[in-house]
Amino acid sequence: MPHDVSLITTLAAGFGLAMIFGYVTSRLKMPPLVGYLLAGIMIGPATPGFVADMELAGQLAEIGVMLLMFGVGLHFSLADLLAVKRIAIPGAIVQIAVATALGMGTAALWGWNLGAALVFGLALSVASTVVLLRALESKGVLESLNGRIAVGWLVVEDLVMVLVLVLLPPLAGLLGGHSPASTSAMQPLWMTIGITFAKVATFIALMLVVGKRLFPRLLWLVARTGSRELFTLCVISAAVGVAYGSAVLFDVSFALGAFFAGMMMRESEFSHRAADESLPLRDAFSVLFFVSVGMLFDPQVLLQEPVKVLTVAAIIIVGKTLAAIVLVLAFRYPLNTALTVGASLAQIGEFSFILAGLGMSLGLLPAAGQSLILAGALISIALNSLLFAAIEPAQAWIRMRSEFARRLEQRDDPLAELPMTTDPALLTGQVVLVGYGRVGHRVAKTLREQQVPFVVAEQNRELVEQLRATHTPAVSGDASDPAVLIQAHIARASMLVVTAPDSLKARQMVEIARTLNPTVEIVFRGHNDEEAAMWQQDQIGQVFLWEQELARGISQHVLTRFGKATGH
């Protein structure tokens, strides 16, 4: 060819093989991410045949990191974290400590130094956002309590890893590696760390003070032009520009800069549009990131160090899972929640790769360590869907075989029973409200204003504690369990209102309620026309769809303005 086309060749090979392997792994019921890593292995230097340009692939991977972390920041919800903070924050921190200790202990047995062991242990401790969200979505539990706890837990893990990315470079020299070029060799450690924190604090303050006002305003101005491509360009340029600028001006990693750019963009009313418009490009470069990570993997490690590979996989799949299960049970959540959170965290992904790459660049992590981390990621991600499928059989088996598990399920829980001080007048003819999320909260507010007695049944223990603090009758637990509805005094209730998103469990709740109180009136929230038609055909109760209610509200407003209000 008359000119250099290495960039085009790398893109063509990377995207093409990623699509093929991603499709194959998807058909095998595994996350496509496994296919992207395999595509990278195929065009990497460790396998025969075509070898892509490693330097170009590395730069494309950096763009992938920027856009990947920008997406994490764009979807970061402080409200989601605060809703489950009492379990997510201590649980995630303890689980990271346990997994890191297991990784460090294993690495020490292999003769690695402190720095290598620390990076290795931290890389094994954090789960993949991409894998976790897609796994929860595929199981339909993302909006459930179990899903919210898993996502909140992961948010804490991500924040801890962001802090690690900040602290690792200045500490590299102390840990046996080499400090970045910007760090003076004669500079005391405390001064190095102090300067690093000062730069990071300045950057964060600038983003919170200026960025929080500038980015939403910028999106609004660009959105007014009506140009879709300008809007997309604004979002992408903000992500890449802030990431690059933060690295040049504040010595902050690309990942941290892009993460904060996404967080600030979330403050805009156009944040959902920003996420949608940037999604194709974010997905494309995220694929290139995983392909480039695969290029660094040496498959020989599977043959030369099979015991080490299996040990790493065991730490990720068994060690992390057991730690999470024990912690969730310790916070008095049910076995199903513990197993769901455990399965969600039994894999590693993008943050592990970013951390491993940083460890390599700082001379802390040996090449063998990076290969072991990649091998552990491949195995854990490939098996993650099987772990989710095993939750219900494992739950049934554990309950049948373990007396201890049954005692855990039956242990005294002060939140699972209504307080003895509850006014009996509130427990006759009351409304039993299942779910206190966005819909349930609004229903409860209206009932409270109109002085209609009600009892809330909610799985989130923190919400139950908040309700009881306001003297609202509430019980903690899964309302598809008869004991929970019994505690809510369904036998004397006049109405059962189900606002929880799980339609399968809603049917179980209705059956229990009708068994205990054949005359109870049923009201529940539908999610689509087909589901609503099925419920109405069975004549179970009154179904409400948000699309229908929104259309009815808009129509009523329009008719009222034209003097043609229907009155209903």
Side-chain angles (χ1 to χ4, degrees):
M1 293 185 184
H3 56 279
D4 186 12
V5 292
S6 56
L7 174 60
I8 298 173
T9 306
T10 301
L11 288 174
F15 280 134
L17 286 174
M19 188 275 292
I20 294 170
F21 281 100
Y23 175 78
V24 171
T25 53
S26 181
R27 296 289 292 177
L28 294 173
K29 306 298 183 185
M30 290 188 291
L33 195 152
V34 176
Y36 307 153
L37 292 171
L38 291 174
I41 295 172
M42 291 298 294
I43 60 174
T47 52
F50 170 76
V51 177
D53 190 315
M54 294 288 288
E55 186 176 345
L56 274 176
Q59 292 189 43
L60 292 171
E62 290 285 12
I63 300 175
V65 169
M66 293 179 196
L67 296 179
L68 195 66
M69 293 307 299
F70 175 72
V72 173
L74 201 57
H75 291 96
F76 174 78
S77 173
L78 188 60
D80 288 346
L81 174 58
L82 293 178
V84 291
K85 62 182 182 297
R86 291 191 182 178
I87 181 174
I89 294 175
I93 291 173
V94 173
Q95 185 252 312
I96 287 174
V98 170
T100 302
L102 288 173
M104 289 183 68
T106 303
L109 291 176
W110 295 339
W112 294 9
N113 63 27
L114 176 62
L118 179 61
V119 173
F120 183 71
L122 287 169
L124 300 186
S125 70
V126 60
S128 165
T129 305
V130 176
V131 175
L132 182 139
L133 292 179
R134 288 179 182 171
L136 293 175
E137 282 177 341
S138 67
K139 296 298 177 183
V141 296
L142 184 58
E143 296 299 323
S144 68
L145 173 67
N146 294 351
R148 291 198 298 271
I149 290 175
V151 171
W153 196 298
L154 188 69
V155 166
V156 178
E157 286 192 350
D158 287 353
L159 292 176
V160 171
M161 289 305 122
V162 166
L163 183 62
V164 170
L165 293 177
V166 170
L167 288 175
L168 200 57
L171 291 174
L174 185 66
L175 294 172
H178 52 77
S179 299
S182 58
T183 303
S184 171
M186 301 298 293
Q187 200 167 266
L189 178 62
W190 65 268
M191 186 179 292
T192 301
I193 295 176
I195 291 173
T196 300
F197 269 116
K199 288 180 177 179
V200 172
T202 303
F203 168 70
I204 293 174
L206 189 66
M207 292 299 291
L208 292 176
V209 175
V210 179
K212 198 171 184 178
R213 293 170 172 80
L214 177 63
F215 287 147
R217 176 70 177 173
L218 183 62
L219 280 183
W220 182 77
L221 289 173
V222 174
R224 287 181 61 188
T225 66
S227 172
R228 180 176 178 178
E229 61 268 24
L230 260 183
F231 187 86
T232 304
L233 183 61
C234 174
V235 173
I236 298 302
S237 61
V240 177
V242 170
Y244 178 75
S246 63
V248 172
L249 299 176
F250 300 100
D251 291 327
V252 172
S253 68
F254 289 140
L256 183 63
F259 176 75
F260 269 94
M263 280 185 64
M264 297 306 100
M265 201 78 79
R266 183 182 170 83
E267 298 296 319
S268 169
E269 60 186 293
F270 298 104
S271 61
H272 289 293
R273 182 181 169 188
D276 292 339
E277 298 287 354
S278 64
L279 184 61
L281 198 60
R282 284 192 286 121
D283 281 348
F285 276 95
S286 294
V287 168
L288 287 178
F289 167 69
F290 291 115
V291 170
S292 69
V293 168
M295 290 173 65
L296 301 172
F297 178 64
D298 184 1
Q300 289 294 323
V301 74
L302 299 174
L303 300 175
Q304 296 172 354
E305 304 285 358
V307 176
K308 289 184 178 180
V309 170
L310 291 175
T311 302
V312 171
I315 291 173
I316 299 167
I317 298 172
V318 180
K320 286 177 62 179
T321 302
L322 289 178
I325 288 173
V326 170
L327 287 166
V328 174
L329 289 175
F331 280 92
R332 291 182 171 271
Y333 280 87
L335 182 62
N336 179 263
T337 299
L339 293 175
T340 301
V341 173
S344 300
L345 302 172
Q347 37 79 18
I348 60 173
E350 57 275 3
F351 254 121
S352 303
F353 304 149
I354 294 170
L355 190 58
L358 180 62
M360 288 276 289
S361 68
L362 294 173
L364 291 171
L365 187 69
Q370 187 173 50
S371 291
L372 288 171
I373 290 169
L374 294 176
L378 278 168
I379 295 170
S380 63
I381 293 171
L383 296 179
N384 196 244
S385 56
L386 295 178
L387 281 179
F388 268 97
I391 288 176
E392 290 189 13
Q395 184 176 336
W397 186 87
I398 292 171
R399 284 174 173 168
M400 183 175 65
R401 300 293 181 92
S402 172
E403 177 65 28
F404 178 69
R406 289 195 293 272
R407 285 204 304 270
L408 282 177
E409 297 275 296
Q410 296 169 0
R411 62 189 170 181
D412 293 337
D413 183 356
L415 296 182
E417 300 178 358
L418 284 176
M420 297 296 292
T421 56
T422 304
D423 186 354
L426 301 177
L427 303 177
T428 301
Q430 83 282 11
V431 174
V432 174
L433 178 61
V434 177
Y436 198 72
R438 286 173 293 185
V439 177
H441 179 78
R442 287 171 170 80
V443 173
K445 182 181 178 183
T446 303
L447 295 178
R448 192 179 290 112
E449 289 171 350
Q450 299 299 319
Q451 297 184 341
V452 176
F454 65 95
V455 177
V456 176
E458 166 61 50
Q459 283 187 280
N460 190 328
R461 297 174 59 82
E462 294 181 32
L463 289 178
V464 172
E465 290 177 349
Q466 292 170 14
L467 286 166
R468 291 195 179 183
T470 61
H471 306 290
T472 300
V475 292
S476 171
D478 184 349
S480 62
D481 179 353
V484 175
L485 288 180
I486 290 172
Q487 278 299 317
H489 291 254
I490 191 67
R492 291 185 291 185
S494 60
M495 186 179 293
L496 171 68
V497 178
V498 182
T499 67
D502 193 328
S503 57
L504 180 62
K505 287 190 174 182
R507 185 172 286 273
Q508 296 173 349
M509 296 171 199
V510 170
E511 291 173 357
I512 294 167
R514 283 277 163 82
T515 301
L516 297 172
N517 185 350
T519 63
V520 71
E521 184 179 347
I522 308 292
V523 176
F524 47 88
R525 161 192 175 187
H527 298 85
N528 53 62
D529 293 329
E530 294 80 9
E531 183 181 272
M534 181 183 67
W535 283 86
Q536 288 170 345
Q537 183 179 356
D538 294 343
Q539 297 182 339
I540 294 177
Q542 181 67 43
V543 188
F544 288 90
L545 287 173
W546 74 267
E547 296 98 331
Q548 288 181 356
E549 297 308 311
L550 181 61
R552 184 180 292 126
I554 293 173
S555 301
Q556 187 71 21
H557 176 76
V558 172
L559 291 173
T560 301
R561 292 298 297 262
F562 279 86
K564 297 183 179 182
T566 60
H568 62 278

